[in-house]
Amino acid sequence: MKNETSLFITRVLPFMVLLAPLSKGADIPPYRGTRYIDSVPQTLDLAEMAGLAINGLTGPIDPDDDYSLYFQADWFRRPPVLRHEEGSDECLSKFMGALVFNRLISGSDLHLTTERNMIDRYLEDTDGLVLHTSGSSSRILEAFMLYYLRDGKPLWREYVEQAVRNMIDKMVDMGDWAYFGTSDRVPTGFGALDGWRAEALALAYGILGYAPAGKWGAKYISYLKNHAEAFNAQGHFIGDVREMGQRAEHGGHFHNHTCALIAFLEYAQIAGDTGLVAFVRQSYEWAKHEERGSSSLIGFFPEFVGKSYPNGEGCPIADMIVLALKLSAENSYDYWDDADRWLRNHFVESQLTVAKGDQMERMARSMDRVDIAAYENADRVTERNIGAFAGWPGVNEWAHHIGIQHCCTGNCARAIYLAWEDILHYNSGVLKINLLLNRSSPWADVYSEIPYRGRVEIKVKRQCDSVLLRVPEWVEIGSDSVKCTVNGQQRGFIWRGRYMSIGVANANDTAVFTFPIRKREVTETIAGINYIFTIKGNTVLEVDPPGSNCPLYNRTHYQNDRAPKKVVERFVSDERIPFYSKSKSNTTRRVSDRAGFDAAKQEITVSIHGDPLHWYAVISGPVSDEGTDISGTVYDMSGRVVSHLLSPSTMTVGRGFRTCRLDLSCRGRLSPGIFVVRVCMRKKFIQERLCIPTGR
């Protein structure tokens, strides 16, 4: 893989003009963190993708039209153009949160002035653009929640809560379900399936603890799942043939359904609805099957469900990766290899790099000349879209037609962060490496030589009580060919499923994991065409027949068995926003010494309530008489102690439970966010939980 960031800086950036004048007032807190130069394998690097994505999220903005979005970029004509489309600005909302996510990964400050003006656009018309959202425009509420988590300013929260109240006012209550519309007709089909609004409600409940969003989000999700005629009882997609015609007869628009599934899963994880999680998993399994026109091998998903549909779409690639990640990280299923295959193949191949941009420019020069319309712009089309994502990719072509529809850029750029976040997890001294990709972090840095060879190096920065690394699907569990060294010395390990557990690692230790990797050929029929894929590990090296205009999978350099190195600036943010990651769920760390508490039989529950000046925690669970000496500590996500929980102020005993309310001794005003509660009984550690504060 070429260093696309370097190519972009040397070839594109010098020719780009400033996109925006001075901001009218929006303030973006600086992205602070540690920057350092490092030599890393020249393999898939999501931080590099994030750096390019910043350009793809700001370049297509039109400063002459109040920072609106050019929705399409079209190279199937001469000259190529950026194009405004009806509804373009709904998809601009998808860019706003994605910009935060990708700056947190990359530390990039490219086009911050443009981003400020984009935010100002929403602040100057909050009634039209924020408070009365529907469809994909609801994604602006996600951005406002991210702004709130970053700077704690009340206005972001106030806007979100008012927008939720406005949504609720428009809903028709049917008891345990509710919908948007009028009481005389229940809407069904394509236009009724609004996963974006459902997700906004779920996140307002989960992130802000806004109870009405949880109540009405549950009702709306029940409608989408059971009454909108979009899914059957088994989770199979139902297409809207009335509106979409024959192309919808096998299940309809793929992304419209997978977007809703993400909302279902987000709410299910917040509410602990295991039945809804099972429904999402069942639907996910159905969607990725080859009978739907999908290729689980490479991550190709058709725009409309069907074995003969000729092109994919960027949005469902991102959606299916997100579903695989969330089902694996937060629900104990194992779809890590699905995510790994799709990230390494159709996802990364769908991002417009400098090299792919050159190919699209050459193709455009061979097209018929077309006059530029009033709603089009031919100014630096390719340069402004480097880092954006393909709207209609083929199996072996970057663009089946047109090139880019920027709904896909917003969704895919967001998925970069979610995948990057789940590469590794660190919790209470335990470091788990889930995806074998390059990654920097406060706890350890990962250097992956896959697919050149099966070698991954972990440089530990902070002492870990336990380090676990998941080997990919082609490696046999228990194989003698799997090895680990720490500081050059052989280290024994225990298999825990697909995870190698090597025990304690100290700061400055270097652990190296090696395992075999092999090359193979796989024949698969997609959209009625037989393709032969040459694959090494999970990575496609080439495909036959190849594409013609901007072919994918020109990666024969991976045939080599030694990864070349590249010098990069790595960035580790000072901020942690566990917005979607495993750490947001109320997971429990269990230990063998439990002081009168049997975690295997009954979980302790922990919650935080109140306002920033008057907080308290509730800890409940079955404890013995000896276990009534309960204490705890509350930390923010940076590890700073913000409060101690000592000597319960109330104790209730009944049906085997002792429920304790412990008042916090606050050290000044507590910032909003997500907090760690560490619980002890008789001074012995029991567990840690991450809690999102709720109202009183």
Side-chain angles (χ1 to χ4, degrees):
M1 177 187 289
K2 293 182 179 179
N3 189 336
E4 288 289 341
T5 303
S6 298
L7 284 172
F8 174 73
I9 291 171
T10 57
R11 292 179 51 187
V12 178
L13 195 57
F15 300 99
M16 298 191 70
V17 298
L18 186 65
L19 289 179
L22 291 176
S23 168
K24 307 180 193 74
D27 180 36
I28 300 175
Y31 289 85
R32 295 190 174 94
T34 303
R35 301 175 189 269
Y36 53 98
I37 302 300
D38 202 357
S39 177
V40 303
Q42 201 162 302
T43 56
L44 177 57
D45 194 325
L46 296 185
E48 183 177 315
M49 291 185 70
L52 290 180
I54 296 297
N55 183 72
L57 292 164
T58 52
I61 302 304
D62 185 357
D64 296 325
D65 188 32
D66 195 22
Y67 298 89
S68 61
L69 173 66
Y70 286 111
F71 181 68
Q72 290 184 352
D74 187 353
W75 284 269
F76 283 74
R77 47 163 292 157
R78 181 165 55 95
V81 294
L82 298 163
R83 180 180 299 127
H84 285 295
E85 293 275 321
E86 184 178 356
S88 294
D89 286 344
E90 285 195 13
C91 286
L92 180 64
S93 299
K94 297 183 178 183
F95 281 30
M96 306 309 292
L99 279 164
V100 177
F101 285 140
N102 284 271
R103 293 194 194 278
L104 285 169
I105 299 173
S106 65
S108 172
D109 60 1
L110 181 68
H111 296 158
L112 271 173
T113 302
T114 298
E115 185 180 353
R116 289 188 186 100
N117 282 285
M118 292 161 70
I119 296 171
D120 280 335
R121 185 174 194 269
Y122 287 95
L123 292 178
E124 290 173 357
D125 186 14
T126 54
D127 190 62
L129 298 177
V130 179
L131 298 180
H132 297 281
T133 62
S134 62
S136 58
S137 67
S138 302
R139 192 62 67 76
I140 190 60
L141 302 182
E142 170 188 270
F144 276 31
M145 283 183 263
L146 283 170
Y147 302 156
Y148 178 64
L149 289 176
R150 290 202 70 221
D151 65 21
K153 291 182 178 178
L155 84 157
W156 306 119
R157 180 180 186 125
E158 291 164 5
Y159 280 134
V160 172
E161 292 183 356
Q162 182 59 55
V164 168
R165 288 192 289 271
N166 290 342
M167 286 186 190
I168 294 171
D169 288 344
K170 298 174 183 175
M171 297 180 80
V172 178
D173 190 0
M174 301 296 290
D176 62 352
W177 57 284
Y179 62 89
F180 293 98
T182 58
S183 58
D184 60 331
R185 186 181 71 86
V186 177
T188 59
F190 178 81
L193 190 55
D194 189 347
W196 301 277
R197 217 160 18 180
E199 186 179 45
L201 290 167
L203 294 178
Y205 176 48
I207 298 302
L208 303 182
Y210 189 53
K215 173 184 175 181
W216 290 91
K219 289 172 177 278
Y220 185 51
I221 286 170
S222 178
Y223 154 73
L224 293 176
K225 174 177 173 285
N226 301 311
H227 304 282
E229 298 181 10
F231 300 93
N232 70 12
Q234 291 73 45
H236 303 179
F237 302 174
I238 299 174
D240 187 351
V241 179
R242 295 167 303 177
E243 183 173 342
M244 310 303 290
Q246 187 176 5
R247 60 183 177 171
E249 63 183 357
H250 300 294
H253 191 256
F254 207 107
H255 168 56
N256 218 38
H257 290 83
T258 49
C259 175
L261 290 177
I262 291 172
F264 295 177
L265 191 54
E266 186 66 36
Y267 176 80
Q269 289 166 175
I270 294 166
D273 188 337
T274 56
L276 188 55
V277 172
F279 176 86
V280 172
R281 183 195 185 196
Q282 192 174 15
S283 188
Y284 167 86
E285 288 279 2
W286 179 87
K288 72 173 185 170
H289 195 276
E290 63 182 9
E291 289 298 317
R292 262 40 85 194
S294 302
S295 171
S296 189
L297 180 71
I298 66 171
F300 173 90
F301 302 101
E303 184 179 8
F304 283 82
V305 175
K307 293 184 70 173
S308 62
Y309 206 81
N311 64 270
E313 197 177 25
C315 290
I317 302 174
D319 291 348
M320 291 295 282
I321 288 171
V322 171
L323 288 168
L325 293 169
K326 292 175 73 62
L327 285 167
S328 301
E330 301 187 46
N331 295 281
S332 302
Y333 299 118
D334 188 351
Y335 293 113
W336 292 116
D337 282 297
D338 282 357
D340 187 69
R341 286 193 307 275
W342 304 340
L343 284 164
R344 292 181 181 277
N345 295 307
H346 239 52
F347 184 75
V348 66
E349 286 288 285
S350 293
Q351 188 175 38
L352 184 64
T353 60
V354 172
K356 288 185 174 69
D358 288 346
Q359 291 177 306
M360 294 303 291
E361 284 280 348
R362 285 196 294 271
M363 184 198 75
R365 287 195 289 270
S366 70
M367 295 290 172
D368 293 336
R369 175 169 285 280
V370 180
D371 291 339
I372 300 170
Y375 51 87
E376 295 175 337
N377 188 336
D379 178 37
R380 296 171 298 108
V381 173
T382 300
E383 290 90 335
R384 292 169 70 171
N385 284 279
I386 297 296
F389 283 80
W392 298 274
V395 174
N396 58 1
E397 288 278 8
W398 184 79
H400 181 269
H401 57 277
I402 298 177
I404 289 173
Q405 54 177 340
H406 275 300
C407 57
C408 299
T409 297
N411 286 325
C412 289
R414 182 172 177 256
I416 292 173
Y417 178 85
L418 305 185
W420 175 88
E421 182 81 349
D422 278 336
I423 290 172
L424 59 81
H425 294 154
Y426 178 86
N427 186 25
S428 302
V430 178
L431 177 68
K432 292 182 72 173
I433 314 296
N434 305 305
L435 298 168
L436 305 186
L437 301 172
N438 293 330
R439 170 79 146 84
S440 60
S441 82
W443 314 286
D445 287 351
V446 182
Y447 305 78
S448 175
E449 295 191 36
I450 298 171
Y452 287 98
R453 58 175 174 166
R455 185 181 189 275
V456 179
E457 183 176 300
I458 312 296
K459 292 185 178 179
V460 180
K461 297 177 175 179
R462 182 183 299 179
Q463 179 169 328
C464 299
D465 298 334
S466 180
V467 174
L468 299 94
L469 178 139
R470 186 189 182 281
V471 298
E473 60 187 347
W474 70 82
V475 178
E476 182 183 354
I477 297 175
S479 170
D480 292 338
S481 61
V482 181
K483 307 290 184 184
C484 176
T485 64
V486 176
N487 302 328
Q489 302 297 312
Q490 288 292 327
R491 171 69 69 91
F493 56 87
I494 299 171
W495 287 100
R496 300 190 183 280
R498 285 211 156 268
Y499 286 90
M500 300 168 60
S501 177
I502 68 169
V504 175
N506 297 314
N508 301 316
D509 280 354
T510 298
V512 176
F513 301 82
T514 58
F515 42 82
I517 189 169
R518 65 184 180 87
K519 188 175 69 173
R520 67 195 192 278
E521 286 191 352
V522 177
T523 299
E524 191 166 288
T525 302
I526 308 173
I529 299 174
N530 291 327
Y531 293 96
I532 301 173
F533 297 98
T534 302
I535 300 174
K536 191 175 180 183
N538 275 342
T539 302
V540 175
L541 309 187
E542 55 186 336
V543 58
D544 184 37
S548 55
N549 295 320
C550 184
L552 304 181
Y553 301 115
N554 294 321
R555 305 195 288 190
T556 55
H557 53 279
Y558 285 145
Q559 302 270 17
N560 298 325
D561 60 3
R562 187 63 64 91
K565 296 294 185 70
K566 60 184 178 182
V567 176
V568 301
E569 180 186 74
R570 280 189 150 175
F571 175 74
V572 179
S573 176
D574 290 343
E575 300 176 69
R576 289 200 65 219
I577 299 181
F579 200 57
Y580 293 94
S581 69
K582 177 180 170 64
S583 58
K584 183 171 70 61
S585 62
N586 282 337
T587 54
T588 305
R589 179 191 175 196
R590 297 178 180 175
V591 292
S592 57
D593 188 2
R594 290 191 288 265
F597 167 65
D598 190 349
K601 294 181 180 178
Q602 179 67 51
E603 299 279 354
I604 268 186
T605 61
V606 181
S607 57
I608 296 180
H609 306 267
D611 58 52
L613 291 178
H614 304 91
W615 290 49
Y616 64 92
V618 174
I619 301 174
S620 62
V623 299
S624 68
D625 291 337
E626 294 178 330
T628 56
D629 180 13
I630 301 175
S631 64
T633 307
V634 178
Y635 303 84
D636 65 17
M637 292 308 297
S638 69
R640 180 176 65 92
V641 175
V642 296
S643 180
H644 290 285
L645 310 176
L646 298 169
S647 61
S649 58
T650 60
M651 175 77 72
T652 304
V653 181
R655 301 178 64 87
F657 281 83
R658 296 184 182 273
T659 302
C660 314
R661 168 175 165 168
L662 296 91
D663 292 312
L664 278 70
S665 173
C666 297
R667 298 183 176 181
R669 185 177 181 84
L670 299 181
S671 299
I674 300 173
F675 296 88
V676 180
V677 180
R678 185 177 177 88
V679 182
C680 295
M681 292 185 183
R682 296 167 54 211
K683 299 182 180 180
K684 294 182 179 180
F685 171 73
I686 296 296
Q687 61 167 269
E688 287 185 347
R689 282 194 183 268
L690 280 96
C691 295
I692 303 166
T694 62
R696 283 184 171 280

